[in-house]
Amino acid sequence: MMQQHDTLGRKIADIHAQIQTHVGNVGRIGIALYNADSGQLSTFIHSSDEQVPLERYQAPLAEVPSLRQLHESGHSRIIDDMATLADSPSEHTRRILAAGYRSSYTCPLYARGELLGFLFFDSREPGHFREDVTLELDAYAQLIGTLVSHAFSATRALRSAMALARELGRHRDAETAGHLNRVAHYTRSIARALPQDMGHSDEDIEFLFQFAGLHDIGKIAVPDRILLKPGKLDPEEYEIAKSHVQKGSEMIEAMMREFGLANEHYAQLLLDVIACHHERWDGLGYPNGLAGDAIPLAGRIVAVADVFDALTNPRPYKRAWTLDEGLAYLREHSGSQFDPQCVAMAERCFDDWRAIHARFHQPGTA
């Protein structure tokens, strides 16, 4: 098993401690990521002196004019007294005010000219962000931006390598871009809906979203005659098909070493996705026959997303089920094949799943 080192969140917390020592009166640091494909801002990492006021929050950048203007100008923003925004319709602003913060300093973050997201410094002291304070914070902002950019550059490189491997293996018809996108978005919606005490932070959820589409990468090592067979596999063929889990885990471990990522926190999260998405809640899955909570949460979530998408899209050997039929299958097998809480969250998010299916649907393909 790969060793887990500090998360990006812990590194930000260490920087926060330094800021409190050298600058003072900065009670909260928050980072919201921007997804260019969806236009959404999502809470990502935070460090605060008390209870976190804002987690698992998402909003379109287009509906946050003040931040959109910061992005367009490339400038930072100071709010000396947030009490003046008490009537703001923004949920983000209301929560920050309710937590007792009174002034803020917001910096857009960029990587290679592309918007990464926004960095928020909040203080309980009105008018705290004077010029001498912001000059010091700008240096920390550059460091934080570099850390975030580095983390996602590494994951993008890994995902690109995996996409190339799929292309060279010529198995793209088995895992189309639509399938990968849908599974990733279904996965993120379940993870965001689960109770926060189950252990996935906003940081984990973002990396889980990045990695969910790699769940079946080991299939590039499965022969065409088995992977693309239009009928039911015989027992020997099924055993060979099942080997894609172990092959995928071996491939990822090798690539992690090559990319120098083996000791990153999210390495284990990626391995959990690949190694555990065919385990079953009742222990009858493979490759290790894990059961219940012994199955890493990432694997339990992706299992629900993957099976639902496989059922509701056509395969050479079956028609596409309707979305309602797919949901009925999840309900029927909740507590046996699937984690009941993950199924319950899928039901809660089902309107979003309909939108995801429609957005990434390609008629006649998976």
Side-chain angles (χ1 to χ4, degrees):
M1 182 178 293
M2 294 183 178
Q3 180 181 0
Q4 292 190 24
H5 282 201
D6 284 349
T7 66
L8 185 56
R10 290 196 185 104
K11 294 175 183 176
I12 301 303
D14 289 342
I15 293 173
H16 188 189
Q18 292 181 35
I19 289 173
Q20 290 292 64
T21 298
H22 298 292
V23 181
N25 289 323
V26 177
R28 174 182 178 267
I29 295 176
I31 300 171
L33 284 186
Y34 175 65
N35 185 300
D37 291 336
S38 65
Q40 295 280 336
L41 287 171
S42 303
T43 51
F44 178 48
I45 288 175
H46 54 260
S47 176
S48 61
D49 52 9
E50 292 185 8
Q51 184 175 356
V52 178
L54 199 67
E55 287 185 288
R56 301 194 181 186
Y57 177 71
Q58 194 171 43
L61 178 58
E63 295 180 9
V64 190
S66 61
L67 295 183
R68 189 177 69 244
Q69 290 169 10
L70 290 188
H71 167 45
E72 292 169 352
S73 69
H75 296 153
S76 299
R77 177 194 67 184
I78 297 171
I79 300 177
D80 284 325
D81 190 351
M82 296 180 68
T84 61
L85 304 177
D87 295 329
S88 171
S90 166
E91 182 179 355
H92 166 269
T93 301
R94 293 197 305 271
R95 289 196 197 179
I96 297 301
L97 272 169
Y101 297 107
R102 292 293 301 277
S103 59
S104 73
Y105 181 51
T106 306
C107 308
L109 300 177
Y110 296 94
R112 299 180 302 279
E114 300 293 325
L115 180 66
L116 271 178
F118 297 90
L119 172 61
F120 305 91
F121 298 103
D122 296 316
S123 174
R124 299 183 187 281
E125 178 184 321
H128 177 64
F129 295 101
R130 305 176 303 275
E131 183 177 2
D132 60 316
V133 172
T134 59
L135 284 173
E136 289 197 61
L137 290 178
D138 284 344
Y140 287 107
Q142 290 184 10
L143 174 58
I144 291 171
T146 299
L147 288 172
V148 174
S149 177
H150 172 74
F152 283 98
S153 293
T155 60
R156 278 194 296 269
L158 184 65
R159 291 170 65 210
S160 295
M162 292 292 96
L164 178 60
R166 277 194 299 268
E167 177 111 9
L168 294 176
R170 293 177 299 176
H171 293 312
R172 286 172 297 159
D173 50 348
E175 286 189 345
T176 67
H179 171 68
L180 303 184
N181 279 317
R182 286 189 301 270
V183 170
H185 281 82
Y186 294 151
T187 293
R188 182 163 65 177
S189 69
I190 292 175
R192 281 190 172 276
L194 283 167
Q196 294 185 10
D197 60 7
M198 289 192 69
H200 273 167
S201 66
D202 281 339
E203 179 184 354
D204 291 332
I205 291 169
E206 184 59 35
F207 283 115
L208 183 56
F209 171 68
Q210 298 288 328
F211 293 145
L214 299 177
H215 60 284
D216 272 339
I217 189 62
K219 283 185 176 179
I220 66 173
V222 176
D224 279 352
R225 63 181 175 83
I226 294 175
L227 190 65
L228 304 179
K229 184 177 179 178
K232 185 177 180 179
L233 300 179
D234 64 33
E236 181 181 354
E237 291 170 332
Y238 183 54
E239 289 303 313
I240 294 172
K242 286 164 59 177
S243 72
H244 78 275
V245 174
Q246 182 61 32
K247 293 179 185 298
S249 298
E250 292 169 357
M251 289 171 57
I252 287 295
E253 288 182 322
M255 297 199 76
M256 283 286 187
R257 290 193 296 270
E258 289 295 321
F259 279 86
L261 303 176
N263 291 329
E264 294 290 343
H265 160 71
Y266 50 75
Q268 189 61 51
L269 187 68
L270 174 54
L271 275 176
D272 289 343
V273 166
I274 293 171
C276 300
H277 71 282
H278 282 295
E279 300 288 359
R280 289 175 50 115
W281 186 253
D282 58 13
L284 299 179
Y286 65 88
N288 296 313
L290 301 177
D293 291 336
I295 306 168
L297 179 57
R300 279 140 53 195
I301 294 171
V302 173
V304 172
D306 183 38
V307 170
F308 177 82
D309 194 66
L311 292 174
T312 55
N313 287 278
R315 292 290 188 268
Y317 51 87
K318 63 174 263 312
R319 68 169 179 86
W321 292 19
T322 68
L323 300 188
D324 288 330
E325 287 173 332
L327 180 60
Y329 180 91
L330 296 183
R331 288 171 175 153
E332 181 182 352
H333 294 84
S334 174
S336 55
Q337 185 172 356
F338 305 116
D339 179 342
Q341 282 192 286
C342 291
V343 173
M345 296 308 103
E347 291 189 73
R348 178 182 297 181
C349 301
F350 200 58
D351 286 344
D352 291 337
W353 282 31
R354 290 185 187 278
I356 290 166
H357 184 272
R359 179 182 171 196
F360 295 107
H361 181 58
Q362 298 166 285
T365 72

